[in-house]
Amino acid sequence: MNKTRQIKDLLYEQVARIGKAASSPKRLELIELLCQGEKTVEMLARAAAISMKLASAHLRELRGANLVETERRGKNIHYRLADKAVADFWVVIRSLAEDRLVELQLALQKIAAAPNDLVPSDRETLMKAARRGDVVVLDVRPVEEYLTTHLPFARSIPMDELRQRLAELPKDRPVVAYCRGPFCLMAKDAVDLLRKEGYSAAHLRDGVAEWGMI
Amino acid sequence: MNKTRQIKDLLYEQVARIGKAASSPKRLELIELLCQGEKTVEMLARAAAISMKLASAHLRELRGANLVETERRGKNIHYRLADKAVADFWVVIRSLAEDRLVELQLALQKIAAAPNDLVPSDRETLMKAARRGDVVVLDVRPVEEYLTTHLPFARSIPMDELRQRLAELPKDRPVVAYCRGPFCLMAKDAVDLLRKEGYSAAHLRDGVAEWGMI
DNA sequence: TTGTCAATCTAATGATTGTTAGATTGATTA
DNA sequence: TAATCAATCTAACAATCATTAGATTGACAA
């Protein structure tokens, strides 16, 4: 009697559909981008540095695994995560990779900004400081992503406007910049710029997906 | 300047190594088996109903992603999960698949045992009842797996000995059987047998991986 | 030493993928 | 209506993967 075996094969095959969706670097990057909010194919392709055709093919795979869903609005097709659980999955698989793969640890160490001791490192203390106004939490992602969701008390200055809008930031208090997450290098660039201009700045490793704010 | 792009490609590629490891049904089954404790290649191959050669090849992949580790003891090579985080990952990806894939939901509904209202369904209440002795928690996995780790207050009677050892179980209290997790059908078989023999029996969907007891 | 067992390594196969180009669809604009 | 744009579909190629068979290693037992 191998009926049990047939059922088991079927069950694991289904889970493997999710694994397959997560087995391509570009698909993972698309998932992370969609964690920041709804996007069109064109936006996704540009952000992931691939052709629209290839982005479309990868998104098709993600849709086949029911991880994303689409909605047509005029000429554009907007993609979004099918569920918050997908964002959580991205955080889990990324964390596991960080835990287990030395190559990833090394790569991340290289891009880590120098720490700033003036800024609290745990979430609760940071939020208390932000509430009191002792630190400025700065979201350097594109403004649409900020509008979809952002960390509490965060102020939006997209990275490519930061140089012109420096005056909006105070020099007497630390600025804590964040972006899309540990793989996004914008916050680090922001910190480098701010420090060069004489600001007290620090880099927040996590983004909205890690904070569970999808 | 596409140095940023190069770094990003590298980062996502590393995470994709984990996804790739999780993209094969048999590899996922091997991970779940290893969640129950250390096993030799032969044991894994038998349990997953594949040849030793194929099992070895899949285990090689898992080792390449640093998800499992090996130790030689005499003639045998023993495999185990490299970290508790791998077991947690298995639970997360399986849950996501259950959330998103209708096919999986349907397959699981078919194999779900009829509920037994006499048995509490949440963990805390169940454990209180088990502590008082109001229910018997029964582990029907092979005894080695029970010895590695088991739910609190659980008693071990492996599935293939259950018929002969029925007398060890009380008829005046409900028996709650569990096995390797939602994809393992042994607990359901145990419940079917127990009910036919006049016992009050229920099926616990989760196993030690779901309870975080690795 | 010789033989046996567990497991891996190597090489080969067929089947899936990632990726790209070209044709096509659906919605908008002129 | 024709032209344009966003995105998909189809078909094709090369690259990768699953699976199997045959040879090999490492440990043990006779």
Side-chain angles (χ1 to χ4, degrees):
Chain A
M1 152 95 74
N2 48 9
K3 195 173 178 191
T4 301
R5 179 39 52 190
Q6 278 178 21
I7 296 174
K8 280 198 176 189
D9 285 350
L10 196 148
L11 297 174
Y12 290 105
E13 213 172 279
Q14 295 305 311
V15 183
R17 286 171 64 189
I18 306 291
K20 229 174 269 187
S23 70
S24 149
K26 287 300 175 188
R27 280 199 288 271
L28 290 169
E29 187 165 1
L30 293 173
I31 289 176
E32 192 188 39
L33 286 164
L34 290 172
C35 286
Q36 317 300 321
E38 188 176 300
K39 295 197 186 302
T40 66
V41 179
E42 199 186 24
M43 292 160 77
L44 290 166
R46 189 154 21 84
I50 53 180
S51 72
M52 236 177 59
K53 281 178 186 178
L54 184 52
S56 178
H58 279 308
L59 289 165
R60 195 179 197 274
E61 291 286 313
L62 291 176
R63 214 155 58 109
N66 250 299
L67 298 180
V68 303
E69 47 186 36
T70 59
E71 189 188 332
R72 179 152 219 151
R73 281 216 285 284
K75 281 195 202 176
N76 299 294
I77 296 179
H78 294 250
Y79 277 80
R80 73 176 87 87
L81 295 187
D83 197 289
K84 180 188 181 323
V86 181
D88 296 340
F89 173 69
W90 160 246
V91 175
V92 167
I93 192 171
R94 206 208 55 230
S95 304
L96 181 60
E98 285 177 43
D99 271 9
R100 303 304 318 155
L101 303 176
V102 184
E103 296 89 335
L104 186 50
Q105 287 160 19
L106 291 174
L108 282 171
Q109 267 168 34
K110 264 186 231 162
I111 64 176
N116 181 334
D117 296 337
L118 296 175
V119 169
S121 54
D122 70 293
R123 290 184 186 184
E124 216 173 314
T125 321
L126 176 64
M127 281 304 110
K128 270 184 199 157
R131 177 179 289 116
R132 283 195 307 264
D134 293 346
V135 303
V136 175
V137 177
L138 180 64
D139 185 325
V140 297
R141 297 174 303 157
V143 72
E144 318 92 66
E145 299 183 6
Y146 172 83
L147 290 173
T148 302
T149 183
H150 53 76
L151 297 199
F153 313 109
R155 194 184 290 192
S156 167
I157 304 182
M159 187 57 211
D160 45 339
E161 302 174 17
L162 184 57
R163 191 174 290 278
Q164 295 101 55
R165 296 174 58 184
L166 279 174
E168 297 176 27
L169 292 169
K171 282 212 173 178
D172 58 338
R173 283 168 290 157
V175 175
V176 184
Y178 76 91
C179 49
R180 288 167 178 153
F183 285 11
C184 182
L185 309 177
M186 288 194 293
K188 178 178 159 36
D189 292 344
V191 168
D192 289 345
L193 172 60
L194 288 170
R195 286 189 181 171
K196 209 184 317 177
E197 298 293 334
Y199 290 83
S200 162
H203 177 199
L204 192 60
R205 183 184 144 82
D206 291 342
V208 289
E210 287 76 17
W211 283 63
M213 308 201 58
I214 317 296
Chain B
M1 148 96 73
N2 48 10
K3 196 173 177 189
T4 302
R5 179 39 54 190
Q6 278 177 21
I7 297 174
K8 281 198 175 190
D9 284 350
L10 196 146
L11 297 174
Y12 291 105
E13 213 173 279
Q14 295 305 313
V15 184
R17 287 171 63 189
I18 306 290
K20 229 175 267 185
S23 70
S24 147
K26 287 299 176 188
R27 281 199 288 270
L28 291 169
E29 189 165 0
L30 293 173
I31 289 175
E32 192 189 37
L33 285 165
L34 290 171
C35 285
Q36 317 300 320
E38 189 176 301
K39 293 196 187 305
T40 66
V41 180
E42 200 186 24
M43 291 161 75
L44 290 166
R46 191 155 20 86
I50 54 179
S51 72
M52 236 176 60
K53 281 177 185 177
L54 184 51
S56 178
H58 278 308
L59 288 165
R60 193 178 198 274
E61 291 286 313
L62 291 176
R63 213 156 58 110
N66 251 299
L67 298 180
V68 303
E69 48 188 34
T70 60
E71 188 189 331
R72 176 151 222 152
R73 280 216 284 285
K75 282 194 200 177
N76 299 293
I77 296 179
H78 293 249
Y79 277 81
R80 72 176 89 85
L81 294 187
D83 196 290
K84 181 189 179 324
V86 182
D88 295 341
F89 173 69
W90 160 246
V91 174
V92 168
I93 191 172
R94 205 209 54 230
S95 304
L96 181 60
E98 285 178 42
D99 271 10
R100 304 305 317 156
L101 302 176
V102 184
E103 296 88 335
L104 187 50
Q105 287 160 19
L106 291 175
L108 284 171
Q109 269 168 34
K110 266 187 229 161
I111 64 176
N116 180 336
D117 296 337
L118 296 174
V119 170
S121 54
D122 70 292
R123 290 185 186 183
E124 216 172 315
T125 321
L126 176 64
M127 281 303 109
K128 270 184 198 159
R131 177 180 288 115
R132 283 195 306 264
D134 293 346
V135 303
V136 175
V137 177
L138 179 65
D139 185 324
V140 297
R141 298 175 301 158
V143 72
E144 318 92 64
E145 299 182 7
Y146 172 83
L147 290 173
T148 302
T149 184
H150 53 77
L151 298 199
F153 313 110
R155 193 183 292 193
S156 167
I157 304 183
M159 188 56 212
D160 45 341
E161 303 174 17
L162 184 57
R163 193 175 289 278
Q164 295 99 55
R165 296 174 58 184
L166 280 174
E168 296 176 28
L169 294 170
K171 283 211 170 176
D172 58 338
R173 284 168 289 158
V175 175
V176 183
Y178 76 91
C179 49
R180 288 166 179 154
F183 284 12
C184 181
L185 310 176
M186 289 193 293
K188 179 180 158 33
D189 292 344
V191 168
D192 289 346
L193 172 61
L194 289 170
R195 287 188 181 172
K196 212 186 312 178
E197 298 293 333
Y199 289 84
S200 162
H203 178 199
L204 194 60
R205 186 184 143 82
D206 290 343
V208 290
E210 287 75 18
W211 283 62
M213 307 200 58
I214 316 297

